[in-house]
């Protein structure tokens, strides 16, 4: 199958570094198609040029988050859901550009996580909806489904953070076969739901707990980490900018 990885992304100082890290892992993955969705009213030159030189097969779209759902400058990031508009735009693109003759698996690849190339062998195995462990999330070293090693059946989850979620796993912890996305035509992410429930929102529309396929060696291997990049301190740059100067005049960082 082709792995369709959906990545929402937005302009900030670390954006090019994040996309560079991701793209260089993705180059190691056979049959990979990157769907990059910018949270912006227009496609930016930075992302446009970045993708053109990436060496990857890709689709570049943009879908701005409506202003009433956008995080304020000083809001903690759990206040509003992130990536909703962008992932939905990608799902719409998939539904209007792919059909039953395409063999694929959809995976949601946020731009700040860390992916092992070995993850994608698991993603490629997804028949309907597959799940696997995610490192460094939910306050744990690993948040994971509890699986029967022989059958891959999921018997429970180890989540401690909001364990009452219908599917207590992170966005990076599951893949959905393209045929399922095409069958469940209306399945999308949503804004007005409890924080931390985005994963459950999409999953409950496409599957049930007992249908899940536990992958990554019976959910015992960690191939993806929910890392988060610290915002860089740019205080000296800010002082320069106030004097009408900048360290990166004509240089894309
Ligand atoms: C956790 C999950 O890992 C996310 O998949 C989920 O969307 C999020 O919670 C949520 O509940 O909304 P977290 O690390 O807090 O993730 O989220 P971010 O990594 O900050 O954002 C997820 C994706 O949305 C990233 O690819 C990011 O680049 C993108 N994003 C973020 C935007 O496109 N626009 C923004 O304004 C902020
Ligand atoms: Mn993140």
């Amino acid at each position: 199958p082709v792995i369709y990885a959906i990545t929402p992304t937005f302009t900030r100082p670390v954006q090019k570094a994040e996309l560079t890290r991701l793209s260089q892992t993705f180059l190691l993955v056979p049959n990979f198609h990157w769907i990059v969705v910018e949270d912006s009213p227009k496609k930016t030159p930075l992302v446009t040029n970045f993708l053109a030189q990436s060496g990857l097969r890709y689709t570049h779209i943009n879908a701005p988050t409506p202003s009433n759902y956008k995080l304020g400058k000083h809001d903690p990031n759990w206040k509003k859901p992130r990536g909703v508009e962008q992932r939905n735009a990608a799902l719409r693109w998939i539904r209007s550009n792919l059909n039953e003759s395409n063999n694929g698996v959809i995976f949601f690849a946020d731009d700040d996580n860390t992916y092992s190339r070995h993850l994608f062998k698991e993603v490629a195995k997804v028949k309907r909806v597959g799940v696997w462990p995610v490192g460094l999330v939910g306050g744990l070293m690993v948040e994971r489904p509890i699986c029967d090693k022989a059958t891959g059946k999921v018997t429970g989850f180890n989540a401690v953070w909001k364990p009452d979620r219908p599917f207590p796993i992170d966005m990076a912890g599951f893949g959905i076969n393209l045929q399922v996305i095409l069958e469940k035509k209306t399945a999308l992410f949503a804004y007005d739901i409890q924080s931390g429930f985005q994963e459950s929102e999409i999953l409950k529309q496409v599957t049930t707990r007992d249908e899940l396929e536990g992958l990554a060696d019976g959910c015992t291997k960690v191939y993806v980490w929910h890392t988060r990049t610290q915002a860089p301190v740019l205080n000296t740059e800010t002082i320069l900018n106030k004097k009408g100067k900048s360290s990166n005049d004509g240089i894309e960082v």
Side-chain angles (χ1 to χ4, degrees), residues 8-10 12 39 70 77 81-83 86-87 110-112 170-171 196 198-199 226 228:
T9 187
F10 68 111
R12 61 207 191 280
D39 183 354
K70 199 96 187 136
N77 88 327
R82 296 158 299 288
Q86 295 72 37
R87 295 187 193 107
D110 289 354
D111 67 359
D112 58 343
D170 185 71
M171 199 65 74
Q198 287 301 334
E199 296 84 353
H226 185 253
R228 306 194 64 209

Side-chain angles (χ1 to χ4, degrees), residues 169-186:
I169 55 177
D170 185 71
M171 199 65 74
F174 62 92
I176 306 176
N177 193 286
L178 172 62
Q179 296 313 316
V180 176
I181 291 293
L182 297 176
E183 275 168 36
K184 315 275 181 183
K185 298 184 190 38
T186 59

Side-chain angles (χ1 to χ4, degrees), residues 202-220:
I202 192 81
L203 286 168
K204 74 182 191 203
Q205 296 173 70
V206 300
T207 191
T208 57
R209 277 192 182 205
D210 50 77
E211 262 177 21
L212 296 175
E213 301 147 36
L215 298 167
D217 205 3
C219 298
T220 63

Side-chain angles (χ1 to χ4, degrees), residues 10 28 74 81 94 96-97 101 107 131 138 140 158 161 171 192 206 210 212 218 226 248-249:
F10 68 111
L28 301 169
H74 302 289
I94 286 167
S96 43
N97 289 278
S101 72
F107 171 60
V131 293
L140 298 175
N158 79 336
W161 184 74
M171 199 65 74
D192 295 305
V206 300
D210 50 77
L212 296 175
H226 185 253
N248 59 319
D249 261 338

